[in-house]
Amino acid sequence: MNTAIFLYSWSAAAATHLDLFGSLGLLLGFTAGVMPRRAWILAASAACAACFGAHYLTLGALTGTAMCAISVLQSLVSLRCIGTPGRSGWVPPVFTASTVAAACLTVATWNGWPSACAALGTLLATGARLQAAPQMMRQLFLGASLCWAGHNLLVGSVFGLTCDVLTILGLGIALMRAVPVAPVEPVAPDCARA
């Protein structure tokens, strides 16, 4: 067996277990949680949602795919328009319409608990994208990641579940990093008894 045939056989066998979109989504999901700026969080979140949308499509998780499409739209609108003077007037109608679309798509692709988890995760992420402050955004994304973990567990997405665990870890680290440390007062030695 020559090297080319061996590599082809190996790649054909491995292809059933490897998912480029799931791998990229996993990487981008963790990265989004630890980004220092709101704009970077949203850009990484949009790219992550696009990758996971393709991944869920291969799994047949249509509600997850639809919610990822909504997430990409909302992340890009939030990135471009929230906090920018003169452009925010049309953001509320876009987010309202996308939330209504998410509800309709959830009903149209309903698959029980996985659909419920994806819809609730999308609702929490929608709230996160509307935040101007990164810490509040991270808190809502944490709740969304917990819901998506339920979805990924139920649809059998190893990449998605791994991403959720890493995202929760990354968000937790970022949230704890921002907690102010209380000053420690030194304790005076008890010399009065001597």
Side-chain angles (χ1 to χ4, degrees), residues 111-175:
N111 189 28
W113 282 107
S115 296
C117 290
L120 184 56
T122 299
L123 184 63
L124 289 169
T126 297
R129 290 182 197 101
L130 290 170
Q131 301 302 313
Q135 282 303 98
M136 184 54 129
M137 178 184 280
R138 286 185 183 106
Q139 290 172 358
L140 288 167
F141 274 138
L142 181 61
S145 294
L146 291 168
C147 293
W148 277 101
H151 171 270
N152 291 324
L153 183 66
L154 293 168
V155 300
S157 173
V158 174
F159 290 106
L161 193 55
T162 304
C163 180
D164 293 326
V165 169
L166 292 174
T167 300
I168 290 165
L169 178 65
L171 288 167
I173 290 168
L175 286 166

Side-chain angles (χ1 to χ4, degrees), residues 3 7 11 18 21-22 29 49 82 97 104 107 120 123 133 144 148 159 161 183 186-187 190 192:
T3 306
L7 289 175
S11 67
L18 297 177
F21 292 112
I82 293 181
C104 292
V107 170
L120 184 56
L123 184 63
W148 277 101
F159 290 106
L161 193 55
V187 178
D190 191 9

Side-chain angles (χ1 to χ4, degrees), residues 10 39-40 62-63 72 89 150 171:
W10 179 84
W40 295 0
L62 298 181
T63 305
V72 170
L171 288 167

